[in-house]
Every structure is written in C-alpha cells, then in structure tokens.
Amino acid sequence: MAAARSSAPPTAVDAVADTLREQVMTEEIPPGVQVTESLVASRFGIARPTARAAIDRLVQEGLFRRSAHASARVPRLTAADINDLYFARGCIDREVARALADRRTVPPQAHAALVDLLAAKSESPLLDIVAADIKFHRALTDGLGSARLTSLYTSLMGEVRLCMAQVQSRRLLTPRSIYDEHVMIVGEIAAGNSERAAEIVTMHLEHARAALLKNLEGREN
C-alpha cells in the first residue's frame, strides 16, 4: 500500500492512516476499542470525510474490522484466527519458496530486508523490526512477478502485521532468530533446493504461530 503511494506527496488521509496504523501496531489503540469517524476527526482536527477515508484504508488492510452499521474496531485475534492466518500464509509462502528455488532466484529486496533485520536488536523500535520482516516476505512474493499472487498476499498483510507486532512487543522471538531463519530460506532458494526451502518456511511460520498461541493461552488463563 505505502509503496504504491510513494511517488506522490502524502495527503492528510495518508498522514492520519499512518498514525492510526502505528497506534494499532503498538496497541495504543488496543483490540476491541471502537474507532469512530467523529473520534478520529476530533483527535486529528480533520473533516469527517478525511477521517472516514483513513479508517477505510485500515479496514482494507485488515487492521480494522467493521460490520454493517457498526464502528471500526481493531480485531481481537483468537486462536482460530491465528491458526487460519498461518495456514493461509503457509500455503502461499511455501509455494513462493518452491517457485523461486526452481529459478534459483533471490530477489534483491529480500537481501536488503536481511540487512535491515540484521541491524535490528530486541530493543529496536517495534515498527522497524516488523517492517523488515514484512519486507522480506513481500520481496519473495513480489519476486515471482505475479500481480494476482501479490494482491492475494497483500490481503493477508494487515492481520500478519498484527501478529508480527505481538511477537515483537512481547519478545516472543528475537530479531536475530528471525534473521537466521530468513537466511536459511534464502540459502535453500539460491541452491535450488525447493523442497528444503519449503520445509524451512514451514518451520519458520510454525515458530511464530506456536509462540503466539502460547502467549494467547497465557493471557486468557
């Protein structure tokens, strides 16, 4: 989303959406809280149509959910949500890794994301770590050059961001462990080992899924 707007000057909608996105990711706006047009308009000193457009953008990204005749809310992800999200991610990420390995192609942006993640430390800003993690996986998907696949993956990224933010804010996995697993994926892709690349992707996603579920169970008990 942001990349598509990067060549144009930021608008008021962009600025408000960016701030709301950060507040959702850091849980300054916690799950379950209503986010109304009037509240956003008042808080940012903007017109309600601008507030509505910013909220709509985050609904499209999956960071807000809104049912008919109801205000937007940050979704409260359940165990079923997390399992389903990582199932869907796995279906895409494994096939992406296989296809890239068949071509022995590692997109340059994936290497750039590794550099960003290697520079990150546990105390680094949460959004920087999440951005580097997302940048890596998006680079692999985009590297196949399929507009439909990229669009499909983008539809998952809002909830993926929420999960990644939870992982980092609660120190469930270290940036270095994520980096090491990313390096393993890249190595198998570059070597043309498609099945091994897919296996490592599965392991990588399973570590995050299991950590999130364990954390969720601890919060509910």
Side-chain angles (χ1 to χ4, degrees):
M1 299 293 294
R5 302 193 307 269
S6 61
S7 60
T11 66
V13 173
D14 295 335
V16 174
D18 288 346
T19 300
L20 289 174
R21 188 181 298 108
E22 180 173 352
Q23 291 174 345
V24 169
M25 297 279 286
T26 59
E27 295 192 347
E28 185 177 339
I29 302 176
V33 170
Q34 284 190 338
V35 182
T36 65
E37 294 172 14
S38 59
L39 176 65
V40 172
S42 174
R43 179 178 295 177
F44 291 94
I46 56 177
R48 287 188 62 156
T50 303
R52 184 184 310 119
I55 292 171
D56 286 346
R57 183 170 294 169
L58 268 68
V59 169
Q60 292 170 1
E61 293 178 12
L63 291 174
F64 287 156
R65 286 181 186 167
R66 180 172 54 200
S67 56
H69 311 298
S71 299
R73 297 174 186 266
V74 180
R76 192 184 301 277
L77 298 179
T78 65
D81 290 325
I82 291 169
N83 283 327
D84 189 48
L85 177 61
Y86 275 84
F87 170 75
R89 278 197 68 190
C91 290
I92 296 174
D93 285 355
R94 280 190 294 273
E95 292 309 312
V96 166
R98 285 191 180 101
L100 289 173
D102 287 342
R103 304 178 187 182
R104 298 188 181 223
T105 298
V106 179
Q109 284 300 310
H111 287 297
L114 287 178
V115 172
D116 293 343
L117 199 54
L118 181 60
K121 303 191 183 300
S122 294
E123 63 272 17
S124 296
L126 178 148
L127 295 183
D128 291 351
I129 300 171
V130 171
D133 198 349
I134 289 175
K135 181 179 178 181
F136 176 81
H137 289 283
R138 279 296 305 266
L140 295 183
T141 303
D142 292 349
L144 290 177
S146 169
R148 290 175 179 81
L149 185 60
T150 292
S151 177
L152 181 61
Y153 202 66
T154 298
S155 70
L156 298 174
M157 293 313 293
E159 290 180 322
V160 168
R161 283 191 183 94
L162 288 178
C163 286
M164 288 180 175
Q166 288 183 22
V167 166
Q168 292 306 322
S169 65
R170 295 173 176 81
R171 305 296 188 257
L172 304 180
L173 297 171
T174 66
R176 182 57 193 239
S177 69
I178 297 170
Y179 167 83
D180 288 343
E181 290 177 4
H182 285 184
V183 168
M184 292 170 66
I185 293 168
V186 164
E188 299 300 338
I189 289 173
N193 299 327
S194 58
E195 289 309 312
R196 181 59 180 157
E199 288 174 6
I200 296 174
V201 166
T202 299
M203 174 195 72
H204 175 60
L205 296 180
E206 178 58 21
H207 285 167
R209 187 190 71 86
L212 284 164
L213 291 175
K214 183 177 181 180
N215 176 71
L216 181 63
E217 182 179 319
R219 294 169 69 185
E220 292 178 342
N221 291 338

